[in-house]
Amino acid sequence: MDMRADGITLDEFIRLPTTASFMVQDSDRFRSFAEKNPYIHVGPVLSGGYVVAYLHEDQLHPTLRELGETFMDTHTIAYTLLDRETFAEPYITRTLQMPGTDLMGQGVILGFVDTGIDYTSPSFRYENGSSKILSIWDQTGQGNFPADMQFGAVYTQEEINAALQSDHPLDVVPHQDTDGHGTFIASVACGRENGGHIGAAPDASIIAVKLKPATPYYRRQFPEWPEDNHNIFTSENVMMGIDYILDLADAFDRPVAICIALGSNFGGHAGLSMMEEFLTYISNRRGVAVCTAAGNESSARHHTDGVFTEAGQIRTIEISVGQQVRGFPVYIWNEPWDKLSVAVESPTGQVVSLIPFQTNVALRKTLVLEKSVVALSYFQLKSRLSIVSVEDPTPGIWRIILQGNIVVSGEYHAWLPITGMVSPSVEFVEPKPNYTIVNPATAIGTITCGAYNSRNESLYVASSWGPTRLPRLSPDFVAPGVNIGGIYPRRPGAASGTGVAAAITAGAAAVMLQWGIVMDHEPDMTCNRVLSLLIRGCDRDDSREYPNVQWGYGKLDLWESFDQLK
């Protein structure tokens, strides 16, 4: 067990509410820096050479500034869930069932990084009562943790089966999905027959990771987030969860499809954040398919954009702010060869004057005639980022004034936080539904899925539109995502959103991996090959031109994908 110099274990330090984390590409330079600064505790090294580091929250920003701009894209990204429960009559989707075949995901693992799983549910048990879950890593638990991760509690299939045979299973395996989202997503992807509900790949096995909620340091970045809602998760914990799934899939020597039903509006939406690059890296591995949810942001009024055509021009971003809003941030991204200056004007006309872009500049100003506090920060990452934050904003129209000092491409984009992380009364006055694919679905090489209503064949009203800022076409296609039936802990239910569509897609990917690798038709199958075969079978309406930024290449049709292989 790793013991820190202050006498507590890494597991204990990680569980402290004042602990923060960041991630960097491992290097001799960083190791030397960490050795000279013993308050930094170096954690696990993940696939691709990404290393997690822990420290007290007060030391985070000074440490990142001292590391310099090379490391500034290490900033943690906060993710939340991408579905909402609905109470309309559920739609039991069987569009992915393969009648008359053995293609039900056998020999393949489905991995979930989410809110956990109700392991007692019949959806995750075979007919003899044993569990189809190979392992649960509960990052919130205390017990036998993964040796390289050094926190949480791992429960094996043997322990889960022992719990299922007990009159008091939670005394044996004290893991619960108190939210229900993770259980629902897993039931849609690979649940066995349960009250008429069946998943897309019911014979697939499961590895489930219950994500550790973000500490108060990260939650304070979103003042509108309800105190009793713990569904904010950091990119480090998501990446460690995925790496755990990959390591265990290797140990079992099985292909794996990973479902990520989480999203964020932080990041440049170009596939260049550390989380996105990590997903790109693992998506190139044989036998790994990563399925991401496009997001539910197209109608949220959380994105806008514009372009400068020459230096010296002024552009304005207007944000409408309602009553009793605690605060909001705006993330403005532009290409690294352009240089912008930013000013802020309150609804009463008070102005924070134009400040030229300079790496790691941070300004904080309390307005004279209002209680509002305006903060402005500049960062040089793979693109340039300007963050404008307002605390206790005066209701009305806030104006962010941009000046193009150096203009080459001239394009800029601005995002508000994802739905749930910002007040519903905060929105752009002139929103643009394009470029609303969320992080990490903007990663290169993953399978990105939007959602449609399979009852009336219409696009789900909130399903995010592409392209990405790279630019790259997105989503790849759409899958059913409206009032989809599934299983919550101890009850059936329904949900809508692209996270549900991603679960269906992950089940389809598992079936494709079974055909390719388990059945030895294409033993070197990768995520890109899975995507190609799924795109080939998509249902396309003659009245639309494909691909497009709403429907991608069409509607997922697994049967047609296999029919095309004949």
Side-chain angles (χ1 to χ4, degrees):
M1 183 174 294
D2 192 356
M3 186 72 69
R4 291 168 40 85
D6 51 15
I8 66 173
T9 65
L10 179 58
D11 178 40
E12 292 169 333
F13 184 70
I14 291 172
R15 286 190 276 110
L16 292 175
T18 54
T19 295
S21 59
F22 65 95
M23 185 169 287
V24 298
Q25 190 77 41
D26 201 7
S27 66
D28 291 341
R29 179 189 169 196
F30 172 69
R31 293 286 177 167
S32 175
F33 181 87
E35 286 180 10
K36 295 174 183 176
N37 296 275
Y39 60 84
I40 298 174
H41 192 90
V42 179
V45 179
L46 308 182
S47 299
Y50 300 98
V51 61
V52 183
Y54 299 95
L55 73 179
H56 190 278
E57 63 181 39
D58 291 342
Q59 297 162 324
L60 179 60
H61 284 285
T63 298
L64 294 182
R65 282 197 297 269
E66 191 172 351
L67 282 169
E69 65 181 54
T70 303
F71 290 92
M72 279 308 299
D73 60 350
T74 63
H75 196 287
T76 292
I77 296 174
Y79 293 95
T80 191
L81 310 176
L82 289 182
D83 307 285
R84 59 181 180 86
E85 185 172 4
T86 60
F87 299 96
E89 180 184 356
Y91 177 73
I92 311 301
T93 178
R94 296 179 182 267
T95 59
L96 297 185
Q97 299 304 308
M98 303 290 291
T101 75
D102 293 326
L103 293 169
M104 302 179 75
Q106 187 173 12
V108 179
I109 294 169
L110 267 160
F112 303 94
V113 283
D114 215 286
T115 62
I117 190 167
D118 177 11
Y119 68 86
T120 66
S121 171
S123 292
F124 311 121
R125 301 171 70 172
Y126 296 113
E127 285 73 11
N128 64 3
S130 64
S131 179
K132 64 182 286 180
I133 302 171
L134 299 177
S135 178
I136 299 171
W137 177 25
D138 188 338
Q139 294 183 349
T140 70
Q142 298 182 50
N144 296 320
F145 46 69
D148 51 347
M149 305 300 181
Q150 299 191 35
F151 71 99
V154 166
Y155 304 105
T156 66
Q157 188 174 40
E158 291 74 20
E159 290 171 319
I160 295 168
N161 282 330
L164 293 175
Q165 294 172 10
S166 169
D167 292 335
H168 304 285
L170 292 179
D171 292 342
V172 182
V173 174
H175 165 82
Q176 296 184 76
D177 177 9
T178 54
D179 178 87
H181 184 268
T183 298
F184 186 89
I185 290 296
S187 76
V188 170
C190 60
R192 297 183 68 77
E193 185 81 40
N194 181 7
H197 297 272
I198 187 169
D203 284 351
S205 301
I206 292 173
I207 299 173
V209 176
K210 179 176 181 176
L211 294 169
K212 178 180 177 291
T215 61
Y217 171 81
Y218 298 104
R219 294 166 60 86
R220 287 195 297 269
Q221 298 177 19
F222 307 98
E224 299 296 332
W225 191 262
E227 291 185 7
D228 59 348
N229 188 331
H230 300 289
N231 292 328
I232 292 183
F233 312 104
T234 64
S235 46
E236 288 88 352
N237 287 338
V238 176
M239 291 169 68
M240 285 189 285
I242 292 170
D243 216 51
Y244 176 78
I245 292 169
L246 293 175
D247 287 347
L248 211 54
D250 285 344
F252 282 104
D253 193 25
R254 298 189 197 177
V256 59
I258 299 173
C259 178
I260 304 176
L262 308 168
S264 174
N265 267 349
F266 191 80
H269 294 68
L272 301 177
S273 72
M274 199 161 289
M275 173 71 170
E276 293 163 302
E277 290 182 339
F278 170 76
L279 294 183
T280 298
Y281 176 82
I282 66 171
S283 294
N284 288 318
R285 292 176 49 169
R286 170 193 173 274
V288 175
V290 180
C291 302
T292 56
N296 310 314
E297 290 289 292
S298 66
S299 58
R301 303 178 71 90
H302 289 165
H303 167 261
T304 192
D305 58 42
V307 63
F308 294 92
T309 56
E310 61 183 34
Q313 288 181 328
I314 299 291
R315 297 287 184 264
T316 301
I317 298 170
E318 293 187 332
I319 304 105
S320 176
V321 178
Q323 300 287 334
Q324 298 181 329
V325 173
R326 297 177 185 173
F328 66 91
V330 180
Y331 315 121
I332 305 164
W333 293 82
N334 62 278
E335 298 298 343
W337 40 81
D338 291 334
K339 184 176 181 180
L340 307 182
S341 296
V342 177
V344 182
E345 182 180 337
S346 77
T348 65
Q350 293 191 75
V351 176
V352 177
S353 300
L354 280 168
I355 300 172
F357 186 97
Q358 185 176 343
T359 300
N360 295 341
V361 161
L363 168 78
R364 184 178 175 87
K365 181 177 180 180
T366 301
L367 301 186
V368 176
L369 301 179
E370 306 171 45
K371 62 179 181 179
S372 303
V373 179
V374 177
L376 171 63
S377 303
Y378 290 140
F379 301 98
Q380 176 69 59
L381 312 179
K382 295 181 179 73
S383 298
R384 285 188 164 176
L385 167 63
S386 305
I387 301 179
V388 175
S389 298
V390 183
E391 299 172 13
D392 294 320
T394 302
I397 303 299
W398 284 79
R399 302 173 73 234
I400 298 176
I401 301 157
L402 306 177
Q403 182 178 56
N405 303 121
I406 299 175
V407 174
V408 179
S409 66
E411 186 175 293
Y412 64 88
H413 292 266
W415 285 273
L416 289 161
I418 196 170
T419 299
M421 288 186 171
V422 69
S423 168
S425 67
V426 175
E427 58 186 33
F428 290 119
V429 173
E430 296 184 3
K432 309 284 183 66
N434 296 80
Y435 298 93
T436 51
I437 304 292
V438 299
N439 182 319
T442 43
I444 300 166
T446 65
I447 301 171
T448 300
C449 184
Y452 78 103
N453 187 330
S454 46
R455 288 178 170 176
N456 60 21
E457 302 296 306
S458 65
L459 190 71
Y460 175 48
V461 64
S463 186
S464 289
W465 296 13
T468 71
R469 215 185 102 242
L470 192 58
R472 181 178 64 85
L473 176 75
S474 195
D476 294 309
F477 49 75
V478 297
V482 178
N483 293 331
I484 300 301
I487 301 297
Y488 286 97
R490 296 172 295 281
R491 63 180 176 87
S496 296
T498 58
V500 178
I504 291 173
T505 300
V511 171
M512 197 60 76
L513 288 169
Q514 178 192 353
W515 176 84
I517 294 179
V518 179
M519 299 175 69
D520 206 31
H521 292 292
E522 292 192 18
D524 294 324
M525 182 174 280
T526 64
C527 188
N528 184 67
R529 178 58 174 160
V530 172
L531 174 60
S532 298
L533 293 173
L534 294 179
I535 285 176
R536 183 185 294 176
C538 281
D539 180 26
R540 288 177 271 274
D541 191 320
D542 291 339
S543 65
R544 297 189 189 95
E545 187 174 323
Y546 296 92
N548 62 65
V549 298
Q550 297 168 291
W551 296 82
Y553 283 90
K555 295 174 288 188
L556 178 65
D557 187 336
L558 186 59
W559 181 268
E560 184 61 25
S561 290
F562 279 105
D563 198 51
Q564 291 285 331
L565 285 168
K566 293 178 182 179

